[in-house]
Amino acid sequence: MQKSLYRRYQREWILVALLILGITLFCSRFSVFSRISSSLYDKVVSYTHVRQPDHDIVMIVIDDKSLARIGFWPWRRSLHARLLERLHRARAVGFDILFSDADWAHPQDDDALSGAIRRNGKVVLAYFLSGTAMQRPVRPVSGLSTATRHLGFINIVPDPDGTVRRIRLFSPNDPSYKHLALAMLEAGGQTAAVDRLRAHRTEPPLLIPFVGAPLRFPMIPYSEVLAGDVPADYFANKYVLIGAWGTGMGDSFPTPVSADTIDNMAGVEVLANVLQSAREGNWIRHPGQTMQSLISLAPVLLLLVAVRRLSPRRVLLATGIALVVVLSGTLLTLYLGNYWISPVAAMMGIALTYPIWSWRTQEIALSQMSREMGELNREYPLLGAEVAATDPAGKDRLSLNERVMQLRFGLNRVRSLRRFISDSFNAIADPAVVFDAHHQLTLWSASATRYMTSLNAPPLTDGLHIQAFLETIIADPVVCRELVAAIDHPEQAQDGHTPQSGVGAWAVHTDKGYEVRDCAGRDLLLKSMSTHTATGRHSGFILNLIDISALRQAERRRDDTLRFISHDMRAPQASILALIDLQQHPAQALPAGELLQQVKQLSTRTIRLVDDFVQFTRAEQSGMDFVPLNLSDLLQDAVNEFWAASRARHITIVNEDGPVCAFVRGDQSLLTRCFGNLLDNALKYSPDHTTVTCTIVSAGDFWEVTIRDQGRGISEHDQKALFTRFSRVSPGEADDPGGLGLGLLFVKTVVTRHHGDIRVRSAPAWGSDFIVRLPKDEPEESDEPSL
């Protein structure tokens, strides 16, 4: 499912990218938003390209003042001849006036103007290119055309919105037709500038970098120049443009720099701006249609690539940044490089990216939510009743809010399931810990916390490495390392592949797990189970720490029982069978009395062994009936029980005076047997004609019962194993009284179960003191000696 979702995401991104790039390309190729682009250009250029007009460019205008002094238009051409006589020092003179028709009323005026043009030698006359492709020139009358060496067209073609922003300097069909401004540059001797522009004649029309609002260039009334009010030296080495400015005369155009003014810009002033740009070569260029489209597509494509990995909030932020970058780049390119790249198409594509991509990703998310909810409902049928109540018909038409509410309900059910799993996990009696695929601790049960507390180990924390965890509970680091390797590669451990050491975790591997011993001496079975994600990828493992100490102890008891049955009990019975076999041969047969005595001794030994084993098992496992007991009476009863045996060996048992009442709570039969075993051992290991002393004293909240003998004593080495199972002191020696080795273990078990303790003081050839401490039942009882 994850791969399917990824493929759909990829498919949606490709479709969105193609859609947005197609819209951007369409807007760029077909100038859908040309008015917006033009308005943006007008605003930008009016602030970035304001500069000083060229002082070498002067306009002589036919204004209202000149019309009032000279008379109504049209004027006789002889006036223009007289004007040229005053401009002989000008660098070039250009007429923004068409002389396409002969003056039939004053034919001599054409001759006068032709002569003035020849004498000046730097006059440029205007003509007009007609036709849609500017292919038919409307030239001045023949006499004037032959008199001047320079002609230039004065076509000004506004953009579709009527604003003049660009100019074509050469005819698209015939490059020999050049603009009036270029003709003036040739007349003024600046042919290099014209040649540079001619090299780019096939480019689109150039954008005019207007110097500013209208009336920036010097304007001198025609009448003042004609009357000699302006000295001829003023026009020395200057480009002079002659055109109409008066009310109702000439042509005027809206320009980017005249948008905030009342008046439009006169055609002659437009020509002045074109002339200055031609001289300076600072035209505002713009790319061709193909290049414009590629430039517009580039930022949109970059944003589309970026949104694949961004969240909705960051997509919105990236969209805003992209818009600012594109607009800023356009401004900087125009300001620093005189290059206008319309940002409208790119900004449109960028602006559409966020809503369209958000729409599609939202649809993906909603679809995935519905699919996941369906999977969740199918996977957990126990929640079917709740699902039916919250899964309305027509769920594909749910709104975003309704689907969010549905998802919220589903998440609540998942949280409930998680709580159920968490409670179940914490209810596990054995410690359980969960590690991720990087061996980092992620989860642990309450029993694991209690287990670590019992070891006085640091508390468990997130991210704890499994090696550190194992070293906390197991002292041997080698075993810990090999345990980690065995958990990571259980198949090698099962196949018998062991590391170089051949010890540790591999040596204790079983079919059920790994058996180790912790720092507290408990036997543990570590069971490892791998965990996986919903897609089946390995995500970690769970470790169960199962305390099998009781099981191992039971196994040891079983082994001891088998040993007891197969050896200790079998030996006397085998001896009886041997005597019976011997008795069947008359030559080897024993007297009847001696035979019966031997059988009696062996049977008595068997009964004593069975009795010791049964009593120990009862002391270890059976329930006890705790009642108030007087230790003084119990001890006296035990002494009385062994009076005959001690008298036969001339051993004196002295029960020293102690408290009359020494109450404890306990099981009478077990405590009686306990003191009996201690007295029996004292008699067994004491030589004849010695004394066994019994005392009871108070020791705080405990009663201390001491049984002291004068026997051979116990070495310090033997004292360490004195209270262990089947342990006997100096077995096999000549004076060994025999036995199973359960007597003292029985005593320790009974004393421990009565919340007391037992210790021994002994040394070879000195005798032994066995001291039993039992908690008092009534601390206020009298400690007076008995009568």
Side-chain angles (χ1 to χ4, degrees):
M1 180 172 291
Q2 184 176 0
K3 292 183 178 179
S4 175
L5 179 61
Y6 178 77
R7 286 195 298 268
R8 180 178 178 183
Y9 185 86
Q10 291 289 94
R11 186 169 59 251
E12 291 287 348
W13 179 85
I14 293 174
L15 293 176
V16 169
L18 292 176
L19 175 63
I20 295 177
L21 291 175
I23 293 174
T24 304
L25 181 62
F26 179 82
C27 294
S28 176
R29 296 282 294 183
F30 297 98
S31 303
V32 177
F33 299 98
S34 58
R35 289 186 177 273
I36 299 176
S37 178
S38 299
S39 299
L40 179 61
Y41 170 80
D42 293 346
K43 286 291 184 183
V44 173
V45 80
S46 64
Y47 290 106
T48 59
H49 280 70
V50 176
R51 63 191 190 281
Q52 290 299 321
D54 191 345
H55 296 293
D56 290 337
I57 300 176
V58 178
M59 292 189 302
I60 298 177
V61 296
I62 303 171
D63 58 354
D64 293 342
K65 180 180 178 181
S66 298
L67 290 172
R69 292 181 63 179
I70 298 174
F72 294 105
W73 186 264
W75 295 335
R76 293 181 61 175
R77 293 177 182 175
S78 60
L79 292 177
H80 301 316
R82 288 171 53 193
L83 182 69
L84 287 177
E85 296 297 337
R86 297 187 177 277
L87 300 176
H88 63 278
R89 298 190 61 185
R91 189 166 186 175
V93 179
F95 278 92
D96 184 23
I97 301 172
L98 290 175
F99 299 106
S100 56
D101 297 322
D103 188 356
W104 302 107
H106 306 91
Q108 69 279 8
D109 286 0
D110 286 341
D111 295 337
L113 181 56
S114 299
I117 291 173
R118 287 189 183 93
R119 287 190 296 273
N120 187 287
K122 303 172 184 176
V123 177
V124 179
L125 295 182
Y127 64 93
F128 186 79
L129 294 175
S130 64
T132 56
M134 299 174 62
Q135 73 275 17
R136 294 193 302 270
V138 181
R139 299 179 181 276
V141 295
S142 60
L144 298 179
S145 297
T146 56
T148 181
R149 292 187 304 171
H150 306 285
L151 293 173
F153 62 82
I154 57 172
N155 296 62
I156 297 177
V157 182
D159 286 349
D161 60 352
T163 303
V164 174
R165 299 183 181 89
R166 63 198 80 223
I167 194 73
R168 187 176 290 278
L169 298 178
F170 295 92
S171 170
N173 294 319
D174 189 349
S176 64
Y177 297 156
K178 56 183 175 294
H179 195 270
L180 179 70
L182 299 187
M184 290 185 69
L185 290 179
E186 286 185 343
Q190 292 186 269
T191 56
V194 178
D195 293 338
R196 286 194 300 269
L197 291 170
R198 183 176 284 109
H200 300 281
R201 64 181 179 272
T202 58
E203 293 182 357
L206 300 174
L207 292 167
I208 305 171
F210 291 93
V211 298
L215 307 180
R216 292 294 303 277
F217 286 94
M219 294 185 179
I220 304 172
Y222 191 102
S223 59
E224 291 183 2
V225 178
L226 190 62
D229 296 338
V230 180
D233 293 341
Y234 176 78
F235 301 101
N237 205 32
K238 292 185 178 180
Y239 290 94
V240 180
L241 280 168
I242 303 171
W245 184 262
T247 303
M249 288 189 63
D251 48 3
S252 62
F253 305 92
T255 63
V257 293
S258 62
D260 297 330
T261 62
I262 298 176
D263 297 326
N264 291 330
M265 183 176 289
V268 66
E269 190 169 4
V270 173
L271 295 178
N273 279 277
V274 173
L275 178 59
Q276 179 168 337
S277 298
R279 292 193 68 197
E280 296 175 351
N282 61 341
W283 298 97
I284 299 177
R285 300 179 183 274
H286 58 91
Q289 197 174 55
T290 301
M291 183 58 67
Q292 174 70 47
S293 299
L294 293 176
I295 295 174
S296 299
L297 291 173
V300 179
L301 182 59
L302 289 176
L303 179 62
L304 287 170
V305 172
V307 299
R308 293 179 57 189
R309 300 183 179 275
L310 297 179
S311 64
R313 180 185 301 176
R314 292 185 176 180
V315 170
L316 180 61
L317 179 61
T319 301
I321 293 174
L323 290 172
V324 172
V325 168
V326 169
L327 185 58
S328 301
T330 298
L331 297 179
L332 290 175
T333 303
L334 180 61
Y335 180 71
L336 300 177
N338 280 352
Y339 210 83
W340 170 249
I341 303 173
S342 176
V344 176
M347 295 179 69
M348 178 58 63
I350 291 171
L352 288 175
T353 298
Y354 180 75
I356 295 179
W357 180 246
S358 297
W359 162 51
R360 294 316 304 162
T361 52
Q362 186 180 104
E363 286 295 330
I364 295 175
L366 293 178
S367 175
Q368 188 64 22
M369 285 166 56
S370 298
R371 185 179 295 109
E372 293 295 338
M373 288 295 298
E375 290 293 331
L376 181 65
N377 298 337
R378 285 190 292 272
E379 290 176 3
Y380 301 103
L382 294 178
L383 305 174
E386 300 180 27
V387 172
T390 58
D391 198 7
K395 58 186 178 180
D396 293 336
R397 297 187 296 273
L398 294 179
S399 65
L400 175 62
N401 183 59
E402 290 171 330
R403 294 206 187 187
V404 169
M405 295 301 295
Q406 190 182 33
L407 177 63
R408 182 178 180 184
F409 179 81
L411 291 177
N412 285 336
R413 289 190 287 118
V414 172
R415 292 189 188 99
S416 299
L417 183 62
R418 179 184 178 278
R419 181 59 184 268
F420 171 77
I421 295 174
S422 177
D423 292 344
S424 302
F425 184 70
N426 282 320
I428 298 176
D430 296 313
V433 288
V434 181
F435 294 89
D436 60 19
H438 303 290
H439 296 171
Q440 305 294 320
L441 181 64
T442 59
L443 186 65
W444 57 91
S445 64
S447 55
T449 301
R450 293 191 296 270
Y451 173 70
M452 298 301 287
T453 302
S454 69
L455 293 179
N456 295 323
L460 298 174
T461 57
D462 284 326
L464 181 67
H465 196 272
I466 186 174
Q467 180 75 22
F469 169 75
L470 292 175
E471 289 180 356
T472 303
I473 63 176
I474 303 173
D476 191 348
V478 176
V479 173
C480 295
R481 286 194 300 271
E482 295 184 359
L483 260 177
V484 174
I487 292 171
D488 279 341
H489 306 285
E491 69 285 351
Q492 296 184 11
Q494 293 173 0
D495 294 341
H497 295 91
T498 60
Q500 294 181 355
S501 61
V503 298
W506 302 83
V508 297
H509 174 268
T510 67
D511 293 337
K512 296 182 179 180
Y514 310 96
E515 187 175 336
V516 294
R517 179 162 292 182
D518 67 4
C519 298
R522 285 171 288 200
D523 294 313
L524 298 179
L525 180 65
L526 269 66
K527 298 186 69 174
S528 173
M529 180 182 70
S530 296
T531 59
H532 302 83
T533 63
T535 58
R537 184 172 57 87
H538 175 68
S539 62
F541 46 86
I542 302 174
L543 279 186
N544 279 345
L545 309 179
I546 304 174
D547 189 352
I548 57 173
S549 300
L551 177 63
R552 290 293 173 259
Q553 185 178 3
E555 290 177 351
R556 287 190 288 270
R557 289 173 181 170
R558 180 197 63 191
D559 295 340
D560 292 341
T561 302
L562 293 175
R563 171 189 168 189
F564 167 68
I565 294 174
S566 63
H567 181 268
D568 295 274
M569 288 189 63
R570 186 173 180 275
Q573 303 304 316
S575 299
I576 292 175
L577 291 175
L579 287 175
I580 294 175
D581 291 339
L582 185 66
Q583 200 67 21
Q584 292 176 353
H585 300 82
Q588 299 177 354
L590 298 175
E594 185 179 355
L595 174 65
L596 292 176
Q597 182 66 27
Q598 290 288 339
V599 171
K600 179 181 180 181
Q601 289 180 355
L602 293 173
S603 299
T604 302
R605 181 182 176 188
T606 301
I607 292 173
R608 187 170 66 250
L609 291 175
V610 172
D611 186 56
D612 287 345
F613 192 82
V614 170
Q615 289 297 329
F616 168 72
T617 303
R618 176 173 176 264
E620 192 175 42
Q621 298 180 359
S622 66
M624 294 188 297
D625 185 15
F626 283 86
V627 295
L629 298 173
N630 188 356
L631 286 179
S632 299
D633 294 340
L634 290 178
L635 187 59
Q636 186 61 48
D637 291 344
V639 170
N640 294 337
E641 181 181 354
F642 288 93
W643 179 82
S646 62
R647 184 177 179 83
R649 295 181 53 197
H650 304 286
I651 297 176
T652 304
I653 301 178
V654 178
N655 190 2
E656 294 184 347
D657 294 339
V660 177
C661 297
F663 281 98
V664 297
R665 295 188 66 82
D667 186 290
Q668 181 175 2
S669 62
L670 290 178
L671 286 178
T672 301
R673 179 78 179 185
C674 171
F675 294 131
N677 280 3
L678 291 176
L679 285 172
D680 186 36
N681 278 350
L683 294 176
K684 285 180 182 179
Y685 290 96
S686 295
D688 296 344
H689 306 285
T690 56
T691 301
V692 175
T693 305
C694 303
T695 60
I696 298 177
V697 297
S698 175
D701 294 335
F702 291 85
W703 294 112
E704 285 190 354
V705 179
T706 303
I707 297 179
R708 178 182 298 111
D709 63 55
Q710 296 176 336
R712 60 188 179 186
I714 306 170
S715 66
E716 185 176 354
H717 177 267
D718 289 337
Q719 290 180 29
K720 295 179 181 179
L722 196 59
F723 298 102
T724 57
R725 188 185 300 263
F726 302 113
S727 175
R728 297 174 56 244
V729 177
S730 303
E733 293 186 3
D735 57 349
D736 178 21
L740 193 59
L742 294 176
L744 289 179
L745 181 59
F746 170 83
V747 172
K748 181 175 178 60
T749 301
V750 171
V751 171
T752 301
R753 295 192 68 185
H754 282 77
H755 310 293
D757 62 78
I758 182 172
R759 65 182 186 274
V760 61
R761 290 196 301 260
S762 181
W766 180 81
S768 302
D769 291 352
F770 286 87
I771 305 165
V772 176
R773 285 165 44 91
L774 295 172
K776 294 179 179 179
D777 183 37
E778 296 181 4
E780 69 277 4
E781 292 173 355
S782 173
D783 291 339
E784 296 178 358
S786 59
L787 297 176

